[in-house]
Amino acid sequence: MVSRSEQRFIRINLITIIVTLLVILAGGIVRSTGSGMGCPDWPKCFDRYIPPTDVSQLPANYKEKYVAGRLKKNEKFAKYLESMGKVALADSIRHDKSITIPEEFNPTKTWTEYLNRLAGVAAGIFLFLTVVYSFTYRKAAKRIIVLSILNLFVVGYQGWLGSIVVSTNLAQWVVTVHMLLALVILAISIYTYNYAKQLNKAPSVIMYRILWLKGFLFFTLVISIIQIVLGTDVREAVDIIAKALAYGSKATWISKVGSVFSYHRDLAILVVVTNAIVYKMVIDRFSGKAAPLLTARFILITLLIQLLSGFALAYIAFPPAAQALHILFSTLLFSLQFYLYLLVYRTSTYKQ
């Protein structure tokens, strides 16, 4: 029987997953509106906990001040990369001219980025609560405590990396790592959620014997991660093209992206095919309201929305709403695939 303290942990953990997805949605809105540099400093925004609403609230030399701050922070980051042997990467940051270009104050972009940061703070609070409530498993499942604490450290590193995203003026590889870390945070949260839910259940003989299905699910997960990375690369290429065209001629952006878009589009076909196969595998073995079957159905719905948003981006001149939805549903698809993978995994392994 699940105790009240265990139920509380499961509930907080689920809320954490939902809030993390909302943070990713907020990040997608920031990207789609070009608000990534709406706050030129971090963790404050224009040296304030509550950002300004008008340029008159800023000092006359605010542009030079924040450029100088970025350069100073990037020098520290470059030295950190050099200590890891990434000399060429450190050198590319030092000589990136885009970092020296000041951003004009735009209240809409500033508050869009600020709300994104507030969402991140909310996620951090719930992750902290997850750690607090995880200690209810100190005797039954110490793994939940360890992973919850680890996730809190990952979020701390993610926050620091967010500051580097700002200081490097949205450097492509930093944005990609930032996105991958978001997937790690989600994966850990989903794992502890499922672990806690399965802890008091009897082992499922039906589920643990489908090892080949588990292997194929892992393959679909890998494809989804690659697809997300390629999508981030496409987005970065589009940003460069958009700036070069002064954000005009939207209909031509995709045609100028190059081969990375072709790879992203073609891999989408494989994503559809593999998930359709997974769905067929699941419906052949589960019926009614079985959790794997319901999850597989949600995967198909998510995949459909993801395809429609991708089509809108490619052929309807990048509508902002489609950009945000595309990012959200790509991570939601990964989340559901990972959860289905855990459901198919042998339940008895959750016993300590």
Side-chain angles (χ1 to χ4, degrees):
M1 181 177 178
V2 181
S3 67
R4 291 183 65 181
S5 60
E6 290 174 338
Q7 289 176 348
R8 188 184 300 115
F9 171 82
I10 292 170
R11 184 167 58 250
I12 291 294
N13 200 335
L14 179 59
I15 294 172
T16 300
I17 294 169
I18 294 170
V19 172
T20 303
L21 287 168
L22 290 176
V23 172
I24 292 171
L25 174 60
I29 293 172
V30 166
R31 293 302 309 280
S32 65
T33 57
S35 303
M37 294 300 293
C39 293
D41 52 337
W42 191 96
K44 294 183 181 179
C45 185
F46 288 102
D47 284 331
R48 301 174 180 220
Y49 289 109
I50 299 178
T53 56
D54 190 86
V55 70
S56 62
Q57 298 173 272
L58 298 171
N61 66 335
Y62 79 91
K63 294 180 182 178
E64 294 79 7
K65 175 184 177 181
Y66 293 115
V67 167
R70 287 208 302 266
L71 292 173
K72 183 178 179 180
K73 191 178 188 71
N74 286 347
E75 180 58 31
K76 291 182 180 179
F77 184 50
K79 289 180 179 179
Y80 167 71
L81 290 173
E82 285 177 335
S83 69
M84 297 174 61
K86 307 292 184 180
V87 178
L89 196 54
D91 192 57
S92 68
I93 289 176
R94 287 194 177 103
H95 294 88
D96 187 350
K97 298 299 182 183
S98 68
I99 295 171
T100 64
I101 300 173
E103 293 286 328
E104 293 284 348
F105 174 74
N106 182 310
T108 301
K109 292 183 178 182
T110 293
W111 277 84
T112 300
E113 168 60 13
Y114 178 68
L115 292 174
N116 174 45
R117 294 184 183 186
L118 287 182
V121 171
I125 292 172
F126 278 105
L127 281 160
F128 176 75
L129 290 175
T130 301
V131 171
V132 172
Y133 290 120
S134 71
F135 281 88
T136 193
Y137 295 99
R138 57 189 176 277
K139 293 181 180 179
K142 292 184 177 65
R143 189 184 306 182
I144 290 177
I145 301 174
V146 172
L147 288 173
S148 297
I149 294 173
L150 174 63
N151 217 10
L152 196 60
F153 278 103
V154 175
V155 168
Y157 186 80
Q158 176 79 322
W160 171 78
L161 194 64
S163 72
I164 299 301
V165 169
V166 173
S167 67
T168 56
N169 198 15
L170 311 178
Q172 179 175 344
W173 68 273
V174 183
V175 173
T176 300
V177 174
H178 197 56
M179 185 66 190
L180 290 175
L181 274 181
L183 298 184
V184 171
I185 293 166
L186 273 172
I188 294 175
S189 294
I190 292 168
Y191 183 89
T192 53
Y193 171 77
N194 183 67
Y195 193 113
K197 287 199 69 176
Q198 299 293 334
L199 194 60
N200 295 296
K201 291 183 178 180
S204 173
V205 176
I206 296 175
M207 293 169 75
Y208 82 71
R209 286 183 177 174
I210 315 177
L211 297 179
W212 51 273
L213 173 55
K214 185 181 71 173
F216 195 77
L217 277 167
F218 183 80
F219 176 65
T220 64
L221 274 170
V222 172
I223 294 173
S224 290
I225 293 170
I226 294 172
Q227 181 72 329
I228 288 171
V229 171
L230 285 174
T232 305
D233 290 344
V234 170
R235 178 68 241 186
E236 293 300 327
V238 168
D239 284 347
I240 294 171
I241 294 165
K243 288 179 180 179
L245 296 175
Y247 297 95
S249 305
K250 280 189 175 184
T252 66
W253 290 359
I254 282 294
S255 63
K256 298 178 184 295
V257 169
S259 59
V260 67
F261 171 72
S262 299
Y263 297 147
H264 185 59
R265 180 193 57 202
D266 295 344
L267 191 60
I269 299 172
L270 183 59
V271 170
V272 172
V273 171
T274 53
N275 280 282
I277 293 173
V278 165
Y279 181 72
K280 181 65 168 61
M281 290 177 176
V282 171
I283 64 173
D284 284 346
R285 284 157 182 82
F286 300 96
S287 61
K289 295 183 179 180
L293 180 57
L294 292 175
T295 305
R297 287 171 178 166
F298 279 125
I299 285 174
L300 285 189
I301 294 170
T302 301
L303 185 59
L304 176 61
I305 297 173
Q306 177 72 351
L307 289 172
L308 290 174
S309 62
F311 181 85
L313 289 174
Y315 303 107
I316 315 180
F318 275 80
Q323 295 177 50
L325 286 175
H326 200 62
I327 293 173
L328 172 64
F329 280 89
S330 65
T331 51
L332 182 57
L333 178 63
F334 165 83
S335 301
L336 289 169
Q337 288 174 325
F338 184 61
Y339 185 54
L340 181 59
Y341 174 82
L342 294 176
L343 288 175
V344 172
Y345 198 83
R346 181 174 179 176
T347 312
S348 59
T349 60
Y350 291 108
K351 297 291 183 181
Q352 290 191 342

PDB file of all heavy atoms in Angstrom, residues 42-63:
ATOM      1  N   TRP A  42      22.621  38.051 -16.287  1.00  0.00           N
ATOM      2  CA  TRP A  42      22.034  36.904 -15.596  1.00  0.00           C
ATOM      3  C   TRP A  42      22.678  36.776 -14.222  1.00  0.00           C
ATOM      4  O   TRP A  42      23.878  37.010 -14.100  1.00  0.00           O
ATOM      5  CB  TRP A  42      22.277  35.629 -16.424  1.00  0.00           C
ATOM      6  CG  TRP A  42      21.514  34.424 -15.959  1.00  0.00           C
ATOM      7  CD1 TRP A  42      20.322  33.972 -16.447  1.00  0.00           C
ATOM      8  CD2 TRP A  42      21.885  33.515 -14.920  1.00  0.00           C
ATOM      9  NE1 TRP A  42      19.926  32.837 -15.765  1.00  0.00           N
ATOM     10  CE2 TRP A  42      20.879  32.540 -14.821  1.00  0.00           C
ATOM     11  CE3 TRP A  42      22.973  33.429 -14.050  1.00  0.00           C
ATOM     12  CZ2 TRP A  42      20.922  31.493 -13.900  1.00  0.00           C
ATOM     13  CZ3 TRP A  42      23.024  32.414 -13.123  1.00  0.00           C
ATOM     14  CH2 TRP A  42      22.003  31.450 -13.060  1.00  0.00           C
ATOM     15  N   PRO A  43      21.969  36.435 -13.154  1.00  0.00           N
ATOM     16  CA  PRO A  43      20.561  36.030 -13.091  1.00  0.00           C
ATOM     17  C   PRO A  43      19.570  37.204 -13.069  1.00  0.00           C
ATOM     18  O   PRO A  43      18.381  36.999 -13.285  1.00  0.00           O
ATOM     19  CB  PRO A  43      20.490  35.245 -11.780  1.00  0.00           C
ATOM     20  CG  PRO A  43      21.519  35.876 -10.916  1.00  0.00           C
ATOM     21  CD  PRO A  43      22.639  36.271 -11.849  1.00  0.00           C
ATOM     22  N   LYS A  44      20.062  38.414 -12.759  1.00  0.00           N
ATOM     23  CA  LYS A  44      19.165  39.563 -12.784  1.00  0.00           C
ATOM     24  C   LYS A  44      18.897  39.969 -14.233  1.00  0.00           C
ATOM     25  O   LYS A  44      19.525  39.465 -15.163  1.00  0.00           O
ATOM     26  CB  LYS A  44      19.771  40.733 -12.011  1.00  0.00           C
ATOM     27  CG  LYS A  44      19.918  40.495 -10.512  1.00  0.00           C
ATOM     28  CD  LYS A  44      20.458  41.735  -9.818  1.00  0.00           C
ATOM     29  CE  LYS A  44      20.627  41.514  -8.331  1.00  0.00           C
ATOM     30  NZ  LYS A  44      21.174  42.724  -7.654  1.00  0.00           N
ATOM     31  N   CYS A  45      17.965  40.897 -14.401  1.00  0.00           N
ATOM     32  CA  CYS A  45      17.633  41.398 -15.737  1.00  0.00           C
ATOM     33  C   CYS A  45      17.812  42.913 -15.713  1.00  0.00           C
ATOM     34  O   CYS A  45      17.059  43.614 -15.030  1.00  0.00           O
ATOM     35  CB  CYS A  45      16.192  41.014 -16.078  1.00  0.00           C
ATOM     36  SG  CYS A  45      15.696  41.434 -17.759  1.00  0.00           S
ATOM     37  N   PHE A  46      18.840  43.382 -16.416  1.00  0.00           N
ATOM     38  CA  PHE A  46      19.225  44.790 -16.354  1.00  0.00           C
ATOM     39  C   PHE A  46      19.510  45.203 -14.903  1.00  0.00           C
ATOM     40  O   PHE A  46      19.086  46.257 -14.430  1.00  0.00           O
ATOM     41  CB  PHE A  46      18.143  45.690 -16.964  1.00  0.00           C
ATOM     42  CG  PHE A  46      18.066  45.600 -18.457  1.00  0.00           C
ATOM     43  CD1 PHE A  46      17.067  44.847 -19.064  1.00  0.00           C
ATOM     44  CD2 PHE A  46      18.992  46.241 -19.270  1.00  0.00           C
ATOM     45  CE1 PHE A  46      16.997  44.737 -20.448  1.00  0.00           C
ATOM     46  CE2 PHE A  46      18.934  46.140 -20.649  1.00  0.00           C
ATOM     47  CZ  PHE A  46      17.936  45.392 -21.237  1.00  0.00           C
ATOM     48  N   ASP A  47      20.238  44.316 -14.206  1.00  0.00           N
ATOM     49  CA  ASP A  47      20.641  44.566 -12.807  1.00  0.00           C
ATOM     50  C   ASP A  47      19.460  44.675 -11.859  1.00  0.00           C
ATOM     51  O   ASP A  47      19.590  45.233 -10.770  1.00  0.00           O
ATOM     52  CB  ASP A  47      21.497  45.832 -12.696  1.00  0.00           C
ATOM     53  CG  ASP A  47      22.918  45.596 -13.178  1.00  0.00           C
ATOM     54  OD1 ASP A  47      23.394  44.455 -13.063  1.00  0.00           O
ATOM     55  OD2 ASP A  47      23.528  46.551 -13.684  1.00  0.00           O
ATOM     56  N   ARG A  48      18.298  44.160 -12.245  1.00  0.00           N
ATOM     57  CA  ARG A  48      17.101  44.264 -11.408  1.00  0.00           C
ATOM     58  C   ARG A  48      16.447  42.899 -11.240  1.00  0.00           C
ATOM     59  O   ARG A  48      16.522  42.054 -12.127  1.00  0.00           O
ATOM     60  CB  ARG A  48      16.076  45.220 -12.043  1.00  0.00           C
ATOM     61  CG  ARG A  48      16.584  46.638 -12.257  1.00  0.00           C
ATOM     62  CD  ARG A  48      15.552  47.431 -13.015  1.00  0.00           C
ATOM     63  NE  ARG A  48      15.989  48.801 -13.255  1.00  0.00           N
ATOM     64  CZ  ARG A  48      15.200  49.870 -13.164  1.00  0.00           C
ATOM     65  NH1 ARG A  48      13.934  49.714 -12.830  1.00  0.00           N
ATOM     66  NH2 ARG A  48      15.670  51.073 -13.388  1.00  0.00           N
ATOM     67  N   TYR A  49      15.788  42.730 -10.105  1.00  0.00           N
ATOM     68  CA  TYR A  49      14.985  41.529  -9.913  1.00  0.00           C
ATOM     69  C   TYR A  49      13.672  41.647 -10.678  1.00  0.00           C
ATOM     70  O   TYR A  49      13.101  40.637 -11.096  1.00  0.00           O
ATOM     71  CB  TYR A  49      14.719  41.307  -8.427  1.00  0.00           C
ATOM     72  CG  TYR A  49      15.956  40.875  -7.662  1.00  0.00           C
ATOM     73  CD1 TYR A  49      16.580  41.735  -6.781  1.00  0.00           C
ATOM     74  CD2 TYR A  49      16.502  39.607  -7.861  1.00  0.00           C
ATOM     75  CE1 TYR A  49      17.726  41.339  -6.088  1.00  0.00           C
ATOM     76  CE2 TYR A  49      17.647  39.205  -7.181  1.00  0.00           C
ATOM     77  CZ  TYR A  49      18.253  40.085  -6.292  1.00  0.00           C
ATOM     78  OH  TYR A  49      19.382  39.691  -5.631  1.00  0.00           O
ATOM     79  N   ILE A  50      13.186  42.857 -10.843  1.00  0.00           N
ATOM     80  CA  ILE A  50      12.026  43.125 -11.693  1.00  0.00           C
ATOM     81  C   ILE A  50      12.496  44.072 -12.794  1.00  0.00           C
ATOM     82  O   ILE A  50      12.910  45.199 -12.514  1.00  0.00           O
ATOM     83  CB  ILE A  50      10.869  43.771 -10.898  1.00  0.00           C
ATOM     84  CG1 ILE A  50      10.416  42.820  -9.784  1.00  0.00           C
ATOM     85  CG2 ILE A  50       9.703  44.097 -11.830  1.00  0.00           C
ATOM     86  CD1 ILE A  50       9.321  43.378  -8.917  1.00  0.00           C
ATOM     87  N   PRO A  51      12.487  43.647 -14.054  1.00  0.00           N
ATOM     88  CA  PRO A  51      13.107  44.430 -15.130  1.00  0.00           C
ATOM     89  C   PRO A  51      12.380  45.731 -15.432  1.00  0.00           C
ATOM     90  O   PRO A  51      11.200  45.895 -15.087  1.00  0.00           O
ATOM     91  CB  PRO A  51      13.053  43.479 -16.326  1.00  0.00           C
ATOM     92  CG  PRO A  51      11.938  42.542 -16.026  1.00  0.00           C
ATOM     93  CD  PRO A  51      11.924  42.375 -14.535  1.00  0.00           C
ATOM     94  N   PRO A  52      13.046  46.650 -16.117  1.00  0.00           N
ATOM     95  CA  PRO A  52      12.425  47.938 -16.483  1.00  0.00           C
ATOM     96  C   PRO A  52      11.369  47.755 -17.568  1.00  0.00           C
ATOM     97  O   PRO A  52      11.305  46.718 -18.238  1.00  0.00           O
ATOM     98  CB  PRO A  52      13.609  48.752 -17.002  1.00  0.00           C
ATOM     99  CG  PRO A  52      14.573  47.720 -17.516  1.00  0.00           C
ATOM    100  CD  PRO A  52      14.432  46.550 -16.581  1.00  0.00           C
ATOM    101  N   THR A  53      10.558  48.756 -17.722  1.00  0.00           N
ATOM    102  CA  THR A  53       9.518  48.745 -18.757  1.00  0.00           C
ATOM    103  C   THR A  53       9.764  49.806 -19.825  1.00  0.00           C
ATOM    104  O   THR A  53       9.074  49.829 -20.839  1.00  0.00           O
ATOM    105  CB  THR A  53       8.133  48.977 -18.130  1.00  0.00           C
ATOM    106  OG1 THR A  53       8.161  50.209 -17.393  1.00  0.00           O
ATOM    107  CG2 THR A  53       7.769  47.832 -17.194  1.00  0.00           C
ATOM    108  N   ASP A  54      10.748  50.669 -19.567  1.00  0.00           N
ATOM    109  CA  ASP A  54      11.038  51.743 -20.520  1.00  0.00           C
ATOM    110  C   ASP A  54      12.535  52.030 -20.522  1.00  0.00           C
ATOM    111  O   ASP A  54      13.201  51.920 -19.481  1.00  0.00           O
ATOM    112  CB  ASP A  54      10.272  53.012 -20.160  1.00  0.00           C
ATOM    113  CG  ASP A  54      10.347  54.065 -21.259  1.00  0.00           C
ATOM    114  OD1 ASP A  54       9.528  54.011 -22.189  1.00  0.00           O
ATOM    115  OD2 ASP A  54      11.258  54.921 -21.181  1.00  0.00           O
ATOM    116  N   VAL A  55      13.068  52.400 -21.680  1.00  0.00           N
ATOM    117  CA  VAL A  55      14.501  52.653 -21.816  1.00  0.00           C
ATOM    118  C   VAL A  55      14.967  53.817 -20.933  1.00  0.00           C
ATOM    119  O   VAL A  55      16.148  53.895 -20.553  1.00  0.00           O
ATOM    120  CB  VAL A  55      14.858  52.906 -23.296  1.00  0.00           C
ATOM    121  CG1 VAL A  55      14.293  54.268 -23.748  1.00  0.00           C
ATOM    122  CG2 VAL A  55      16.362  52.824 -23.521  1.00  0.00           C
ATOM    123  N   SER A  56      14.041  54.710 -20.571  1.00  0.00           N
ATOM    124  CA  SER A  56      14.403  55.851 -19.714  1.00  0.00           C
ATOM    125  C   SER A  56      14.836  55.391 -18.325  1.00  0.00           C
ATOM    126  O   SER A  56      15.475  56.159 -17.584  1.00  0.00           O
ATOM    127  CB  SER A  56      13.218  56.811 -19.596  1.00  0.00           C
ATOM    128  OG  SER A  56      12.106  56.174 -18.991  1.00  0.00           O
ATOM    129  N   GLN A  57      14.524  54.157 -17.953  1.00  0.00           N
ATOM    130  CA  GLN A  57      14.904  53.625 -16.651  1.00  0.00           C
ATOM    131  C   GLN A  57      16.325  53.069 -16.646  1.00  0.00           C
ATOM    132  O   GLN A  57      16.807  52.621 -15.603  1.00  0.00           O
ATOM    133  CB  GLN A  57      13.915  52.533 -16.235  1.00  0.00           C
ATOM    134  CG  GLN A  57      12.483  53.023 -16.066  1.00  0.00           C
ATOM    135  CD  GLN A  57      11.516  51.879 -15.822  1.00  0.00           C
ATOM    136  OE1 GLN A  57      10.978  51.277 -16.748  1.00  0.00           O
ATOM    137  NE2 GLN A  57      11.290  51.565 -14.557  1.00  0.00           N
ATOM    138  N   LEU A  58      16.964  53.111 -17.811  1.00  0.00           N
ATOM    139  CA  LEU A  58      18.311  52.566 -17.940  1.00  0.00           C
ATOM    140  C   LEU A  58      19.331  53.691 -18.071  1.00  0.00           C
ATOM    141  O   LEU A  58      19.020  54.766 -18.583  1.00  0.00           O
ATOM    142  CB  LEU A  58      18.395  51.659 -19.172  1.00  0.00           C
ATOM    143  CG  LEU A  58      17.496  50.426 -19.166  1.00  0.00           C
ATOM    144  CD1 LEU A  58      17.525  49.749 -20.522  1.00  0.00           C
ATOM    145  CD2 LEU A  58      17.919  49.463 -18.075  1.00  0.00           C
ATOM    146  N   PRO A  59      20.574  53.444 -17.635  1.00  0.00           N
ATOM    147  CA  PRO A  59      21.617  54.453 -17.819  1.00  0.00           C
ATOM    148  C   PRO A  59      21.952  54.631 -19.291  1.00  0.00           C
ATOM    149  O   PRO A  59      21.730  53.719 -20.108  1.00  0.00           O
ATOM    150  CB  PRO A  59      22.800  53.881 -17.037  1.00  0.00           C
ATOM    151  CG  PRO A  59      22.539  52.414 -16.967  1.00  0.00           C
ATOM    152  CD  PRO A  59      21.055  52.260 -16.907  1.00  0.00           C
ATOM    153  N   ALA A  60      22.511  55.775 -19.630  1.00  0.00           N
ATOM    154  CA  ALA A  60      22.804  56.087 -21.036  1.00  0.00           C
ATOM    155  C   ALA A  60      23.796  55.101 -21.647  1.00  0.00           C
ATOM    156  O   ALA A  60      23.754  54.821 -22.850  1.00  0.00           O
ATOM    157  CB  ALA A  60      23.329  57.511 -21.151  1.00  0.00           C
ATOM    158  N   ASN A  61      24.687  54.568 -20.835  1.00  0.00           N
ATOM    159  CA  ASN A  61      25.735  53.678 -21.365  1.00  0.00           C
ATOM    160  C   ASN A  61      25.398  52.203 -21.144  1.00  0.00           C
ATOM    161  O   ASN A  61      26.295  51.358 -21.062  1.00  0.00           O
ATOM    162  CB  ASN A  61      27.067  54.001 -20.690  1.00  0.00           C
ATOM    163  CG  ASN A  61      27.045  53.666 -19.202  1.00  0.00           C
ATOM    164  OD1 ASN A  61      25.978  53.648 -18.582  1.00  0.00           O
ATOM    165  ND2 ASN A  61      28.202  53.401 -18.638  1.00  0.00           N
ATOM    166  N   TYR A  62      24.100  51.870 -21.064  1.00  0.00           N
ATOM    167  CA  TYR A  62      23.730  50.488 -20.731  1.00  0.00           C
ATOM    168  C   TYR A  62      24.238  49.481 -21.757  1.00  0.00           C
ATOM    169  O   TYR A  62      24.597  48.348 -21.412  1.00  0.00           O
ATOM    170  CB  TYR A  62      22.212  50.371 -20.541  1.00  0.00           C
ATOM    171  CG  TYR A  62      21.393  50.305 -21.806  1.00  0.00           C
ATOM    172  CD1 TYR A  62      21.081  49.080 -22.398  1.00  0.00           C
ATOM    173  CD2 TYR A  62      20.917  51.453 -22.430  1.00  0.00           C
ATOM    174  CE1 TYR A  62      20.321  49.000 -23.547  1.00  0.00           C
ATOM    175  CE2 TYR A  62      20.151  51.384 -23.582  1.00  0.00           C
ATOM    176  CZ  TYR A  62      19.852  50.161 -24.134  1.00  0.00           C
ATOM    177  OH  TYR A  62      19.107  50.093 -25.283  1.00  0.00           O
ATOM    178  N   LYS A  63      24.306  49.865 -23.020  1.00  0.00           N
ATOM    179  CA  LYS A  63      24.758  48.924 -24.055  1.00  0.00           C
ATOM    180  C   LYS A  63      26.213  48.531 -23.827  1.00  0.00           C
ATOM    181  O   LYS A  63      26.578  47.343 -23.811  1.00  0.00           O
ATOM    182  CB  LYS A  63      24.594  49.541 -25.442  1.00  0.00           C
ATOM    183  CG  LYS A  63      23.157  49.785 -25.847  1.00  0.00           C
ATOM    184  CD  LYS A  63      23.101  50.401 -27.239  1.00  0.00           C
ATOM    185  CE  LYS A  63      21.674  50.716 -27.659  1.00  0.00           C
ATOM    186  NZ  LYS A  63      21.621  51.347 -28.992  1.00  0.00           N
TER     187      LYS A  63
END
